[in-house]
mmCIF file of all heavy atoms in Angstrom:
data_model
loop_
_atom_site.group_PDB
_atom_site.id
_atom_site.type_symbol
_atom_site.label_atom_id
_atom_site.label_comp_id
_atom_site.label_asym_id
_atom_site.label_seq_id
_atom_site.Cartn_x
_atom_site.Cartn_y
_atom_site.Cartn_z
ATOM 1 N N GLY A 671 109.639 92.863 117.250
ATOM 2 C CA GLY A 671 108.783 91.814 116.524
ATOM 3 C C GLY A 671 109.418 90.607 116.131
ATOM 4 O O GLY A 671 110.563 90.310 116.405
ATOM 5 N N SER A 672 108.656 89.787 115.323
ATOM 6 C CA SER A 672 109.205 88.680 114.766
ATOM 7 C C SER A 672 110.123 88.725 113.569
ATOM 8 O O SER A 672 111.002 87.939 113.294
ATOM 9 C CB SER A 672 108.056 87.508 114.478
ATOM 10 O OG SER A 672 107.382 88.157 113.455
ATOM 11 N N LEU A 673 109.958 89.786 112.710
ATOM 12 C CA LEU A 673 110.689 90.013 111.600
ATOM 13 C C LEU A 673 111.711 91.181 111.674
ATOM 14 O O LEU A 673 112.685 91.175 110.840
ATOM 15 C CB LEU A 673 109.776 90.232 110.367
ATOM 16 C CG LEU A 673 108.783 89.029 110.040
ATOM 17 C CD1 LEU A 673 107.949 89.519 108.828
ATOM 18 C CD2 LEU A 673 109.674 87.866 109.644
ATOM 19 N N GLY A 674 111.487 92.077 112.593
ATOM 20 C CA GLY A 674 112.474 93.168 112.754
ATOM 21 C C GLY A 674 112.216 94.207 111.721
ATOM 22 O O GLY A 674 111.327 94.246 110.918
ATOM 23 N N SER A 675 112.967 95.361 111.915
ATOM 24 C CA SER A 675 112.804 96.554 111.127
ATOM 25 C C SER A 675 113.806 96.660 109.946
ATOM 26 O O SER A 675 114.983 96.370 110.115
ATOM 27 C CB SER A 675 113.068 97.841 112.023
ATOM 28 O OG SER A 675 113.149 98.983 111.146
ATOM 29 N N PRO A 676 113.371 96.836 108.746
ATOM 30 C CA PRO A 676 114.246 96.938 107.649
ATOM 31 C C PRO A 676 115.261 98.057 107.834
ATOM 32 O O PRO A 676 116.309 98.151 107.091
ATOM 33 C CB PRO A 676 113.354 97.279 106.527
ATOM 34 C CG PRO A 676 111.884 97.110 106.985
ATOM 35 C CD PRO A 676 111.918 97.064 108.359
ATOM 36 N N TYR A 677 115.017 98.982 108.811
ATOM 37 C CA TYR A 677 115.874 100.127 108.981
ATOM 38 C C TYR A 677 117.067 99.677 110.038
ATOM 39 O O TYR A 677 117.644 100.727 110.449
ATOM 40 C CB TYR A 677 115.023 101.356 109.398
ATOM 41 C CG TYR A 677 114.270 101.855 108.240
ATOM 42 C CD1 TYR A 677 112.948 101.231 108.046
ATOM 43 C CD2 TYR A 677 114.788 102.725 107.326
ATOM 44 C CE1 TYR A 677 112.248 101.691 107.004
ATOM 45 C CE2 TYR A 677 113.949 103.177 106.322
ATOM 46 C CZ TYR A 677 112.673 102.643 106.102
ATOM 47 O OH TYR A 677 111.937 103.097 105.079
ATOM 48 N N ALA A 678 117.050 98.549 110.416
ATOM 49 C CA ALA A 678 118.238 98.037 111.303
ATOM 50 C C ALA A 678 119.065 96.979 110.594
ATOM 51 O O ALA A 678 118.792 95.779 110.653
ATOM 52 C CB ALA A 678 117.580 97.505 112.512
ATOM 53 N N ALA A 679 119.893 97.388 109.680
ATOM 54 C CA ALA A 679 120.681 96.577 108.878
ATOM 55 C C ALA A 679 121.758 95.787 109.589
ATOM 56 O O ALA A 679 122.371 96.272 110.581
ATOM 57 C CB ALA A 679 121.396 97.432 107.686
ATOM 58 N N SER A 680 122.019 94.569 109.058
ATOM 59 C CA SER A 680 123.103 93.878 109.506
ATOM 60 C C SER A 680 124.240 93.753 108.490
ATOM 61 O O SER A 680 125.372 93.226 108.881
ATOM 62 C CB SER A 680 122.641 92.458 109.804
ATOM 63 O OG SER A 680 122.232 91.681 108.584
ATOM 64 N N ASP A 681 124.035 94.249 107.327
ATOM 65 C CA ASP A 681 125.095 94.256 106.315
ATOM 66 C C ASP A 681 124.567 95.187 105.279
ATOM 67 O O ASP A 681 123.489 95.247 104.706
ATOM 68 C CB ASP A 681 125.330 92.879 105.784
ATOM 69 C CG ASP A 681 126.417 92.826 104.717
ATOM 70 O OD1 ASP A 681 127.118 93.861 104.407
ATOM 71 O OD2 ASP A 681 126.639 91.712 104.228
ATOM 72 N N TYR A 682 125.455 96.267 104.856
ATOM 73 C CA TYR A 682 125.225 97.190 103.781
ATOM 74 C C TYR A 682 125.292 96.790 102.422
ATOM 75 O O TYR A 682 124.804 97.396 101.431
ATOM 76 C CB TYR A 682 126.013 98.482 104.034
ATOM 77 C CG TYR A 682 125.551 99.335 105.106
ATOM 78 C CD1 TYR A 682 126.406 99.795 106.128
ATOM 79 C CD2 TYR A 682 124.265 99.916 105.039
ATOM 80 C CE1 TYR A 682 126.079 100.643 107.076
ATOM 81 C CE2 TYR A 682 123.868 100.831 106.008
ATOM 82 C CZ TYR A 682 124.771 101.222 107.102
ATOM 83 O OH TYR A 682 124.370 102.076 108.060
ATOM 84 N N THR A 683 125.950 95.557 102.183
ATOM 85 C CA THR A 683 126.150 95.110 100.775
ATOM 86 C C THR A 683 125.571 93.770 100.432
ATOM 87 O O THR A 683 126.035 93.017 99.556
ATOM 88 C CB THR A 683 127.613 95.242 100.389
ATOM 89 O OG1 THR A 683 128.323 94.464 101.304
ATOM 90 C CG2 THR A 683 128.057 96.627 100.371
ATOM 91 N N SER A 684 124.570 93.446 101.230
ATOM 92 C CA SER A 684 123.738 92.162 100.931
ATOM 93 C C SER A 684 122.330 92.328 100.827
ATOM 94 O O SER A 684 121.909 93.534 101.174
ATOM 95 C CB SER A 684 124.095 91.136 102.001
ATOM 96 O OG SER A 684 125.428 90.912 102.128
ATOM 97 N N ILE A 685 121.509 91.348 100.399
ATOM 98 C CA ILE A 685 120.050 91.422 100.256
ATOM 99 C C ILE A 685 119.460 90.733 101.304
ATOM 100 O O ILE A 685 119.835 89.639 101.781
ATOM 101 C CB ILE A 685 119.622 90.772 98.844
ATOM 102 C CG1 ILE A 685 120.056 91.794 97.720
ATOM 103 C CG2 ILE A 685 118.221 90.421 98.834
ATOM 104 C CD1 ILE A 685 119.026 92.947 97.566
ATOM 105 N N ASN A 686 118.411 91.287 101.892
ATOM 106 C CA ASN A 686 117.463 90.607 102.828
ATOM 107 C C ASN A 686 116.911 89.375 102.189
ATOM 108 O O ASN A 686 116.132 89.393 101.263
ATOM 109 C CB ASN A 686 116.423 91.548 103.255
ATOM 110 C CG ASN A 686 115.578 90.953 104.336
ATOM 111 O OD1 ASN A 686 115.598 89.838 104.717
ATOM 112 N ND2 ASN A 686 114.623 91.765 104.871
ATOM 113 N N PRO A 687 117.309 88.197 102.667
ATOM 114 C CA PRO A 687 116.767 86.882 102.112
ATOM 115 C C PRO A 687 115.288 86.739 102.164
ATOM 116 O O PRO A 687 114.684 86.006 101.404
ATOM 117 C CB PRO A 687 117.524 85.860 103.060
ATOM 118 C CG PRO A 687 117.868 86.458 104.216
ATOM 119 C CD PRO A 687 118.182 87.880 103.913
ATOM 120 N N GLU A 688 114.616 87.522 103.003
ATOM 121 C CA GLU A 688 113.177 87.576 103.172
ATOM 122 C C GLU A 688 112.627 88.087 101.785
ATOM 123 O O GLU A 688 111.524 87.603 101.409
ATOM 124 C CB GLU A 688 112.748 88.531 104.255
ATOM 125 C CG GLU A 688 111.363 88.818 104.410
ATOM 126 C CD GLU A 688 110.987 89.944 105.313
ATOM 127 O OE1 GLU A 688 111.912 90.374 106.015
ATOM 128 O OE2 GLU A 688 109.765 90.420 105.342
ATOM 129 N N PHE A 689 113.337 88.934 100.982
ATOM 130 C CA PHE A 689 112.813 89.307 99.730
ATOM 131 C C PHE A 689 113.348 88.591 98.543
ATOM 132 O O PHE A 689 112.838 88.788 97.396
ATOM 133 C CB PHE A 689 113.344 90.924 99.589
ATOM 134 C CG PHE A 689 112.881 91.680 100.635
ATOM 135 C CD1 PHE A 689 113.583 92.843 101.002
ATOM 136 C CD2 PHE A 689 111.742 91.475 101.429
ATOM 137 C CE1 PHE A 689 113.236 93.742 102.008
ATOM 138 C CE2 PHE A 689 111.420 92.306 102.404
ATOM 139 C CZ PHE A 689 112.060 93.449 102.741
ATOM 140 N N GLY A 690 114.343 87.691 98.717
ATOM 141 C CA GLY A 690 114.896 86.971 97.532
ATOM 142 C C GLY A 690 116.494 87.109 97.596
ATOM 143 O O GLY A 690 117.067 87.160 98.634
ATOM 144 N N THR A 691 116.941 86.995 96.412
ATOM 145 C CA THR A 691 118.428 87.025 96.226
ATOM 146 C C THR A 691 118.916 88.309 95.519
ATOM 147 O O THR A 691 118.067 89.121 95.021
ATOM 148 C CB THR A 691 118.916 85.784 95.387
ATOM 149 O OG1 THR A 691 118.434 85.993 94.114
ATOM 150 C CG2 THR A 691 118.339 84.464 95.877
ATOM 151 N N MET A 692 120.190 88.454 95.566
ATOM 152 C CA MET A 692 120.745 89.589 94.866
ATOM 153 C C MET A 692 120.381 89.523 93.395
ATOM 154 O O MET A 692 120.125 90.571 92.714
ATOM 155 C CB MET A 692 122.366 89.592 95.106
ATOM 156 C CG MET A 692 122.932 90.900 94.263
ATOM 157 S SD MET A 692 122.558 92.385 95.039
ATOM 158 C CE MET A 692 123.462 92.381 96.555
ATOM 159 N N ASN A 693 120.345 88.255 92.748
ATOM 160 C CA ASN A 693 120.052 88.183 91.380
ATOM 161 C C ASN A 693 118.654 88.591 91.086
ATOM 162 O O ASN A 693 118.147 89.034 90.169
ATOM 163 C CB ASN A 693 120.389 86.733 90.969
ATOM 164 C CG ASN A 693 121.823 86.537 90.582
ATOM 165 O OD1 ASN A 693 122.587 87.522 90.382
ATOM 166 N ND2 ASN A 693 122.278 85.196 90.714
ATOM 167 N N ASP A 694 117.823 88.182 92.115
ATOM 168 C CA ASP A 694 116.440 88.619 91.971
ATOM 169 C C ASP A 694 116.202 90.099 92.004
ATOM 170 O O ASP A 694 115.420 90.640 91.216
ATOM 171 C CB ASP A 694 115.607 88.042 93.250
ATOM 172 C CG ASP A 694 115.399 86.490 93.147
ATOM 173 O OD1 ASP A 694 115.527 86.027 92.240
ATOM 174 O OD2 ASP A 694 115.162 86.000 94.249
ATOM 175 N N PHE A 695 116.988 90.789 92.786
ATOM 176 C CA PHE A 695 116.915 92.257 92.809
ATOM 177 C C PHE A 695 117.493 92.788 91.553
ATOM 178 O O PHE A 695 116.827 93.708 90.976
ATOM 179 C CB PHE A 695 117.764 92.707 94.056
ATOM 180 C CG PHE A 695 117.713 94.258 94.144
ATOM 181 C CD1 PHE A 695 116.551 94.870 94.582
ATOM 182 C CD2 PHE A 695 118.782 95.014 93.824
ATOM 183 C CE1 PHE A 695 116.528 96.265 94.736
ATOM 184 C CE2 PHE A 695 118.689 96.391 93.915
ATOM 185 C CZ PHE A 695 117.612 96.977 94.322
ATOM 186 N N LYS A 696 118.550 92.260 91.091
ATOM 187 C CA LYS A 696 119.152 92.812 89.784
ATOM 188 C C LYS A 696 118.180 92.688 88.721
ATOM 189 O O LYS A 696 117.950 93.453 87.896
ATOM 190 C CB LYS A 696 120.492 92.166 89.567
ATOM 191 C CG LYS A 696 121.588 92.591 90.533
ATOM 192 C CD LYS A 696 122.840 91.828 90.072
ATOM 193 C CE LYS A 696 123.932 92.124 90.964
ATOM 194 N NZ LYS A 696 125.239 91.463 90.626
ATOM 195 N N HIS A 697 117.500 91.406 88.723
ATOM 196 C CA HIS A 697 116.506 91.162 87.698
ATOM 197 C C HIS A 697 115.379 92.167 87.733
ATOM 198 O O HIS A 697 114.851 92.651 86.601
ATOM 199 C CB HIS A 697 116.022 89.880 87.714
ATOM 200 C CG HIS A 697 115.154 89.240 86.578
ATOM 201 N ND1 HIS A 697 113.791 89.668 86.621
ATOM 202 C CD2 HIS A 697 115.438 88.600 85.448
ATOM 203 C CE1 HIS A 697 113.306 89.050 85.451
ATOM 204 N NE2 HIS A 697 114.236 88.447 84.808
ATOM 205 N N MET A 698 114.958 92.381 88.831
ATOM 206 C CA MET A 698 113.769 93.346 88.915
ATOM 207 C C MET A 698 114.195 94.733 88.527
ATOM 208 O O MET A 698 113.313 95.477 87.881
ATOM 209 C CB MET A 698 113.372 93.371 90.435
ATOM 210 C CG MET A 698 112.188 94.311 90.809
ATOM 211 S SD MET A 698 111.794 94.409 92.549
ATOM 212 C CE MET A 698 113.290 95.233 93.099
ATOM 213 N N VAL A 699 115.352 95.247 89.080
ATOM 214 C CA VAL A 699 115.860 96.559 88.520
ATOM 215 C C VAL A 699 116.003 96.530 87.049
ATOM 216 O O VAL A 699 115.540 97.530 86.342
ATOM 217 C CB VAL A 699 117.163 96.890 89.160
ATOM 218 C CG1 VAL A 699 117.810 98.209 88.602
ATOM 219 C CG2 VAL A 699 117.006 96.951 90.736
ATOM 220 N N ASN A 700 116.447 95.653 86.447
ATOM 221 C CA ASN A 700 116.581 95.541 84.886
ATOM 222 C C ASN A 700 115.253 95.568 84.374
ATOM 223 O O ASN A 700 114.998 96.328 83.202
ATOM 224 C CB ASN A 700 117.353 94.218 84.432
ATOM 225 C CG ASN A 700 118.808 94.357 84.819
ATOM 226 O OD1 ASN A 700 119.387 95.434 84.966
ATOM 227 N ND2 ASN A 700 119.503 93.125 84.967
ATOM 228 N N GLU A 701 114.286 94.836 84.903
ATOM 229 C CA GLU A 701 112.888 94.747 84.259
ATOM 230 C C GLU A 701 112.260 96.124 84.478
ATOM 231 O O GLU A 701 111.591 96.722 83.600
ATOM 232 C CB GLU A 701 112.129 93.734 84.972
ATOM 233 C CG GLU A 701 110.716 93.613 84.463
ATOM 234 C CD GLU A 701 110.526 93.290 83.023
ATOM 235 O OE1 GLU A 701 111.550 92.911 82.382
ATOM 236 O OE2 GLU A 701 109.426 93.320 82.455
ATOM 237 N N ALA A 702 112.455 96.822 85.672
ATOM 238 C CA ALA A 702 111.972 98.091 85.892
ATOM 239 C C ALA A 702 112.446 99.256 84.836
ATOM 240 O O ALA A 702 111.788 100.005 84.270
ATOM 241 C CB ALA A 702 112.300 98.629 87.301
ATOM 242 N N HIS A 703 113.851 99.007 84.540
ATOM 243 C CA HIS A 703 114.477 99.890 83.541
ATOM 244 C C HIS A 703 113.776 99.709 82.219
ATOM 245 O O HIS A 703 113.488 100.680 81.403
ATOM 246 C CB HIS A 703 115.965 99.792 83.583
ATOM 247 C CG HIS A 703 116.611 100.425 84.773
ATOM 248 N ND1 HIS A 703 117.850 100.071 85.217
ATOM 249 C CD2 HIS A 703 116.062 101.371 85.591
ATOM 250 C CE1 HIS A 703 118.296 100.803 86.235
ATOM 251 N NE2 HIS A 703 117.229 101.612 86.450
ATOM 252 N N ARG A 704 113.508 98.382 81.902
ATOM 253 C CA ARG A 704 113.043 98.046 80.584
ATOM 254 C C ARG A 704 111.573 98.723 80.395
ATOM 255 O O ARG A 704 111.170 99.066 79.346
ATOM 256 C CB ARG A 704 112.951 96.486 80.457
ATOM 257 C CG ARG A 704 112.513 96.033 78.912
ATOM 258 C CD ARG A 704 112.208 94.570 78.943
ATOM 259 N NE ARG A 704 111.045 94.281 79.812
ATOM 260 C CZ ARG A 704 109.818 94.306 79.288
ATOM 261 N NH1 ARG A 704 109.560 94.856 78.047
ATOM 262 N NH2 ARG A 704 108.811 94.035 80.071
ATOM 263 N N LEU A 705 110.901 98.727 81.491
ATOM 264 C CA LEU A 705 109.562 99.348 81.494
ATOM 265 C C LEU A 705 109.542 100.840 81.610
ATOM 266 O O LEU A 705 108.557 101.454 81.409
ATOM 267 C CB LEU A 705 108.721 98.815 82.694
ATOM 268 C CG LEU A 705 108.283 97.295 82.581
ATOM 269 C CD1 LEU A 705 107.748 96.829 83.933
ATOM 270 C CD2 LEU A 705 107.407 97.087 81.467
ATOM 271 N N GLY A 706 110.729 101.442 81.791
ATOM 272 C CA GLY A 706 110.845 102.861 81.797
ATOM 273 C C GLY A 706 110.874 103.575 83.192
ATOM 274 O O GLY A 706 110.812 104.711 83.300
ATOM 275 N N PHE A 707 110.859 102.685 84.266
ATOM 276 C CA PHE A 707 111.022 103.152 85.626
ATOM 277 C C PHE A 707 112.463 103.731 85.933
ATOM 278 O O PHE A 707 113.356 103.115 85.434
ATOM 279 C CB PHE A 707 110.620 102.184 86.680
ATOM 280 C CG PHE A 707 109.164 101.760 86.612
ATOM 281 C CD1 PHE A 707 108.918 100.514 86.172
ATOM 282 C CD2 PHE A 707 108.219 102.575 87.139
ATOM 283 C CE1 PHE A 707 107.458 100.033 86.193
ATOM 284 C CE2 PHE A 707 106.849 102.286 87.048
ATOM 285 C CZ PHE A 707 106.537 101.004 86.642
ATOM 286 N N LYS A 708 112.591 104.578 86.862
ATOM 287 C CA LYS A 708 113.717 104.814 87.641
ATOM 288 C C LYS A 708 113.637 103.984 88.947
ATOM 289 O O LYS A 708 112.493 103.843 89.449
ATOM 290 C CB LYS A 708 113.976 106.185 87.827
ATOM 291 C CG LYS A 708 114.175 107.060 86.656
ATOM 292 C CD LYS A 708 115.300 106.677 85.753
ATOM 293 C CE LYS A 708 115.461 107.616 84.469
ATOM 294 N NZ LYS A 708 116.559 107.193 83.612
ATOM 295 N N VAL A 709 114.769 103.549 89.619
ATOM 296 C CA VAL A 709 114.678 102.808 90.804
ATOM 297 C C VAL A 709 115.582 103.492 91.812
ATOM 298 O O VAL A 709 116.829 103.786 91.448
ATOM 299 C CB VAL A 709 115.135 101.421 90.612
ATOM 300 C CG1 VAL A 709 115.219 100.722 91.867
ATOM 301 C CG2 VAL A 709 114.131 100.743 89.649
ATOM 302 N N ILE A 710 115.021 103.861 92.981
ATOM 303 C CA ILE A 710 115.893 104.257 94.085
ATOM 304 C C ILE A 710 115.700 103.445 95.335
ATOM 305 O O ILE A 710 114.569 102.778 95.411
ATOM 306 C CB ILE A 710 115.609 105.901 94.444
ATOM 307 C CG1 ILE A 710 114.227 105.922 94.961
ATOM 308 C CG2 ILE A 710 115.767 106.741 93.270
ATOM 309 C CD1 ILE A 710 113.897 107.359 95.533
ATOM 310 N N ILE A 711 116.679 103.274 96.164
ATOM 311 C CA ILE A 711 116.582 102.487 97.254
ATOM 312 C C ILE A 711 116.725 103.299 98.566
ATOM 313 O O ILE A 711 117.468 104.347 98.547
ATOM 314 C CB ILE A 711 117.487 101.274 97.351
ATOM 315 C CG1 ILE A 711 119.064 101.794 97.362
ATOM 316 C CG2 ILE A 711 117.277 100.328 96.139
ATOM 317 C CD1 ILE A 711 119.959 100.677 97.593
ATOM 318 N N ASP A 712 116.198 102.767 99.674
ATOM 319 C CA ASP A 712 116.254 103.500 100.921
ATOM 320 C C ASP A 712 117.726 103.189 101.493
ATOM 321 O O ASP A 712 118.238 102.057 101.434
ATOM 322 C CB ASP A 712 115.234 102.802 101.891
ATOM 323 C CG ASP A 712 114.571 103.796 102.824
ATOM 324 O OD1 ASP A 712 115.213 104.794 103.296
ATOM 325 O OD2 ASP A 712 113.350 103.695 102.918
ATOM 326 N N TRP A 713 118.377 104.366 101.933
ATOM 327 C CA TRP A 713 119.665 104.120 102.445
ATOM 328 C C TRP A 713 119.707 104.699 103.889
ATOM 329 O O TRP A 713 119.417 105.795 104.116
ATOM 330 C CB TRP A 713 120.713 104.824 101.652
ATOM 331 C CG TRP A 713 122.065 104.511 102.071
ATOM 332 C CD1 TRP A 713 122.985 105.060 102.749
ATOM 333 C CD2 TRP A 713 122.717 103.261 101.646
ATOM 334 N NE1 TRP A 713 124.137 104.314 102.924
ATOM 335 C CE2 TRP A 713 123.907 103.168 102.314
ATOM 336 C CE3 TRP A 713 122.224 102.022 101.033
ATOM 337 C CZ2 TRP A 713 124.900 102.052 102.153
ATOM 338 C CZ3 TRP A 713 123.104 101.039 100.805
ATOM 339 C CH2 TRP A 713 124.349 100.998 101.484
ATOM 340 N N VAL A 714 120.162 103.781 104.844
ATOM 341 C CA VAL A 714 120.146 104.102 106.251
ATOM 342 C C VAL A 714 121.458 104.304 106.733
ATOM 343 O O VAL A 714 122.218 103.381 107.257
ATOM 344 C CB VAL A 714 119.388 103.016 107.052
ATOM 345 C CG1 VAL A 714 119.245 103.385 108.530
ATOM 346 C CG2 VAL A 714 118.089 102.559 106.375
#
């Protein structure tokens, strides 16, 4: 397709720019924890 599959990684230690930056992800995880969530990520 035009965007590709998230399950076909090009780098294991970077963020997909489609979703934002690494700082955006860290901020979201921190906010999730503040709200009481646990966070897990898909690992391929």
Side-chain angles (χ1 to χ4, degrees):
S672 63
L673 295 178
S675 168
Y677 293 87
S680 65
D681 184 357
Y682 277 122
T683 55
S684 300
I685 283 287
N686 183 352
E688 178 187 344
F689 302 151
T691 66
M692 182 65 77
N693 283 337
D694 292 339
F695 181 74
K696 290 179 180 180
H697 187 279
M698 182 186 66
V699 173
N700 289 338
E701 180 64 9
H703 285 158
R704 187 187 71 79
L705 290 171
F707 291 109
K708 302 295 183 182
V709 176
I710 65 176
I711 62 171
D712 225 316
W713 195 256
V714 189

